[in-house]
Amino acid sequence: MSTISIIGTGGMAAAIGALAAKAGHTVEVMSRDAAKARALAEQIGAGATTGTFGAVPAEDIVILAVPYAAVLDVVKQYGEALAGKLLVDITNPVASDRMSFVTPGDSCGAQEIAKAAPADAQVVKAFNTLFSHVLAAGPTEGHPLDVFIAGDDARAKARVSAFIESLGLRPMDTGPLPMARTLEHVCLLSLGLITHAVHHTNFSIGVSLLG
């Protein structure tokens, strides 16, 4: 197995970190708040470590597990420390009306991150369509959770797909990075369902293959 670096200490960071540790990966946690990073590393266990915020992450796969409102500043602060890294964007740039985005109309969160990152970093969208507690709980009744991904580099997507599979989840490739905007719309779909139909967050959106 490999080492993954997670920037952030929230629910998604905890869920991905715990699944990664269970699968045998070594986890590095990085945060502006060093105490929170240490607490999450201890919670994850299995030899999880902490890194210095802004320093070069220990591994090539870096999970950007911070809110979209903070992620561009984080990427810019890391700067060349992210050169050559594979950045996994899990954010949703949803506006306060919960029906639109804060990103430009011809772009999406993942593309804005790619613009802010070093030129040789690869950005892959993933995990943004899952609630953290659903992800942490894992598969239900033998059905793996679907993780939709989008990215321009086939090798980067293959690495992310292999990581997702190692967690007991099912990667579903949706195409190049601009498709990340469609995946971000899935977040709006979920918010609409919560408000008008489902009325809770104990669900996931996935694909049922027939025949």
Side-chain angles (χ1 to χ4, degrees):
M1 294 299 174
S2 61
T3 300
I4 64 159
S5 297
I6 300 175
I7 302 176
T9 56
M12 286 296 288
I16 294 171
L19 288 174
K22 183 179 179 181
H25 299 282
T26 301
V27 178
E28 177 191 47
V29 182
M30 311 174 86
S31 172
R32 283 195 177 101
D33 190 324
K36 287 185 177 180
R38 287 193 297 272
L40 181 54
E42 289 174 6
Q43 176 185 325
I44 292 170
T49 63
T50 59
T52 302
F53 184 83
V56 177
E59 189 47 54
D60 288 343
I61 297 179
V62 181
I63 312 291
L64 300 175
V66 295
Y68 183 76
V71 73
L72 296 182
D73 285 341
V74 167
V75 170
K76 289 172 184 175
Q77 183 167 343
Y78 270 81
E80 287 304 310
L82 297 179
K85 301 295 184 181
L86 197 174
L87 308 180
V88 180
D89 165 35
I90 72 170
T91 68
N92 284 301
V94 177
S96 57
D97 63 5
R98 294 163 66 95
M99 293 187 295
S100 61
F101 299 115
V102 297
T103 45
D106 60 349
S107 186
C108 66
Q111 289 174 298
E112 294 302 302
I113 289 170
K115 292 175 187 175
D120 61 348
Q122 294 292 338
V123 176
V124 174
K125 190 79 170 186
F127 295 103
N128 75 298
T129 61
L130 291 166
F131 298 110
S132 61
H133 64 282
V134 172
L135 179 60
T140 3
E141 299 178 354
H143 298 293
L145 297 172
D146 286 332
V147 181
F148 299 104
I149 68 172
D152 289 333
D153 186 88
R155 184 175 299 178
K157 285 197 290 186
R159 291 186 64 194
V160 173
S161 293
F163 172 66
I164 290 167
E165 287 178 339
S166 77
L167 306 185
L169 311 172
R170 184 170 65 171
M172 300 292 284
D173 188 351
T174 66
L177 196 62
M179 282 297 293
R181 183 169 178 82
T182 298
L183 298 185
E184 291 164 6
H185 271 94
V186 175
C187 177
L188 297 187
L189 173 62
S190 295
L191 293 174
L193 290 171
I194 293 166
T195 302
H196 301 287
V198 182
H199 304 302
H200 59 73
T201 60
N202 295 320
F203 68 91
S204 67
I205 293 175
V207 175
S208 294
L209 299 176
L210 307 177

